[in-house]
Amino acid sequence: MSFPTIPIQTKRPLPKNCSFSASDWNVLSSFWHPVALSSEVKDKPVGVQLLDALVVLYRTPEGVNAARDVCMHRGAKLSLGSIRDGALVCGFHGFHYNCEGVCVRIPALPTGSPIPNKLRLQTYLCAERYGFVWVCLAEKPRASLPDWPSIENGSGTVAVVPPGTWQSSAARHVENFNDICHVPWVHTGTFGGPETPIEPYDVSVTDTRLSFQADITERVRYTESGAGPTYRQAVYSYELTLPFASSVKVLDPNTSHVYRIYDIASPVSASCIRIFQVVVDESRLTPAEALIDFTMRINAEDAPQVESQSPDQLPLDLRDEIHIPADRMSIEYRRALARLGLGAQAVS
Ligand SMILES: [Fe+2]
């Protein structure tokens, strides 16, 4: 197996007060990350933070655009401004910027005077997909967006969960999402089944994804049965797109019902993330509102545990924490992050 990847293109300056090491920031900034719901970016600019960088999102007739949240004139935040005539307008002096970040109008400038060429925003790559706005801070992304056709192909009820903020690192959250061992202990009020040993399982590893499958005894999701607590055997199929995008397909072999959860941890900083989630109920048994409510209850069970972890950064040196056979996925995830170049001192 080889892990050839596109060389990292970015050597952009680190954000002020960057909480990541320079090498980790350069690796992570070369990937796409969701930063907002599409529905959040309408007729006003929106300020977000990604990898400690302050970014303004603004919708023009060309689509959603992203730029450094700083006006080139006097350094004010553009997210305090407005959208007017299809342009991003600074709220301080009214400088207008188009979809490419080029200043196209300065209200105080006498008619016919040229606009200085230097009045051009630092723009970022921006895309809309799966109900999210995605940003890549590098000049060229190292990988494409995750491939999640069931969100878009009309195969079921699709629910976009309101993003939550966790005081944790992205990798700690991702490891938890893909950890089958914690389910009977943490998810006692939602889908956790009885305490059972975890049979050994294999993890499939490529240069961009990790995947594995496990048979799980889970509590029947109240959203599907309306009753409970009763238990059922389900097949969980996990797929993790590096570095922080996960999905799990939950299949009930007896009914063929399929339920999918998509989860991305977006790194606001090294120790703070925003969680973006979509749930797809392919059997259309549950209204979207109930899917959202159930997922938020699951999150509320997970967050206190993950936010309590010390250190808050995921140790990529496997000698730094103790592992059991059920941690196979966690071990492979840590190795994969180290292969990406994260954790300068990591040993795989
Ligand atoms: Fe969990």
Side-chain angles (χ1 to χ4, degrees):
M1 186 192 320
S2 64
F3 296 91
T5 48
I6 299 169
I8 300 169
Q9 302 290 317
T10 181
K11 285 297 175 192
R12 286 180 169 168
L14 298 183
K16 195 165 68 174
N17 301 321
C18 185
S19 57
F20 298 86
S21 69
S23 59
D24 278 8
W25 194 89
N26 279 322
V27 170
L28 294 174
S29 65
S30 66
F31 288 94
W32 289 101
H33 303 278
V35 291
L37 300 180
S38 284
S39 59
E40 293 177 308
V41 186
K42 293 181 177 171
D43 54 358
K44 292 178 182 169
V46 175
V48 296
Q49 183 174 315
L50 172 62
L51 297 166
D52 293 309
L54 300 181
V55 176
V56 59
L57 307 174
Y58 59 106
R59 190 178 290 279
T60 64
E62 291 81 12
V64 178
N65 312 279
R68 187 166 168 247
D69 193 5
V70 177
C71 181
M72 301 306 287
H73 174 225
R74 285 294 179 267
K77 280 192 177 180
L78 291 161
S79 54
L80 297 174
S82 60
I83 305 291
R84 213 181 286 182
D85 302 326
L88 170 62
V89 181
C90 180
F92 205 175
H93 301 93
F95 283 39
H96 286 47
Y97 297 95
N98 70 9
C99 65
E100 295 172 329
V102 176
C103 185
V104 291
R105 181 167 179 252
I106 301 175
L109 205 59
T111 305
S113 300
I115 294 174
N117 286 333
K118 283 186 175 179
L119 279 170
R120 181 182 285 261
L121 303 179
Q122 168 68 68
T123 56
Y124 301 118
L125 297 171
C126 188
E128 273 190 286
R129 192 132 189 226
Y130 308 128
F132 307 139
V133 176
W134 303 71
V135 165
C136 175
L137 297 176
E139 291 173 15
K140 185 174 181 181
R142 185 170 171 175
S144 7
L145 295 178
D147 185 22
W148 291 337
S150 74
I151 298 177
E152 297 177 324
N153 64 11
S155 66
T157 301
V158 177
V160 178
V161 180
T165 299
W166 291 24
Q167 302 305 321
S168 76
S169 63
R172 283 285 196 192
H173 170 90
V174 173
E175 183 175 83
N176 171 69
F177 185 91
N178 290 276
D179 170 25
I180 50 178
C181 209
H182 80 287
V183 173
W185 296 96
V186 171
H187 296 298
T188 52
T190 52
F191 68 105
E195 172 190 338
T196 48
I198 305 290
E199 294 298 322
Y201 61 93
D202 293 322
V203 177
S204 167
V205 180
T206 73
D207 57 346
T208 58
R209 290 187 184 85
L210 308 179
S211 56
F212 74 102
Q213 201 172 78
D215 294 331
I216 302 287
T217 303
E218 69 164 22
R219 182 171 162 176
V220 172
R221 292 164 193 262
Y222 85 101
T223 50
E224 295 179 10
S225 70
T230 54
Y231 299 108
R232 69 174 184 180
Q233 284 298 122
V235 181
Y236 286 21
S237 301
Y238 286 86
E239 185 174 270
L240 194 169
T241 303
L242 294 168
F244 302 139
S246 305
S247 71
V248 60
K249 171 188 172 187
V250 178
L251 166 70
D252 181 337
N254 293 319
T255 62
S256 298
H257 290 164
V258 171
Y259 183 95
R260 298 177 189 265
I261 305 172
Y262 299 89
D263 175 283
I264 317 118
S266 180
V268 174
S269 70
S271 303
C272 179
I273 56 174
R274 238 183 142 203
I275 306 303
F276 291 87
Q277 296 171 313
V278 178
V279 182
V280 178
D281 176 8
E282 295 194 357
S283 311
R284 299 184 190 277
L285 295 171
T286 310
E289 298 73 27
L291 296 172
I292 291 170
D293 176 71
F294 193 71
T295 307
M296 292 180 75
R297 285 173 49 207
I298 294 173
N299 293 339
E301 292 175 324
D302 282 312
Q305 296 294 335
V306 176
E307 290 180 333
S308 81
Q309 286 182 279
S310 178
D312 58 357
Q313 303 304 305
L314 189 68
L316 302 190
D317 185 331
L318 296 181
R319 297 168 297 188
D320 286 346
E321 289 186 334
I322 310 302
H323 311 281
I324 61 173
D327 295 325
R328 185 81 251 153
M329 178 62 169
S330 301
I331 292 166
E332 296 303 337
Y333 181 49
R334 293 174 189 214
R335 286 177 169 155
L337 292 182
R339 279 194 299 271
L340 290 182
L342 293 169
Q345 304 304 315
V347 175
S348 60

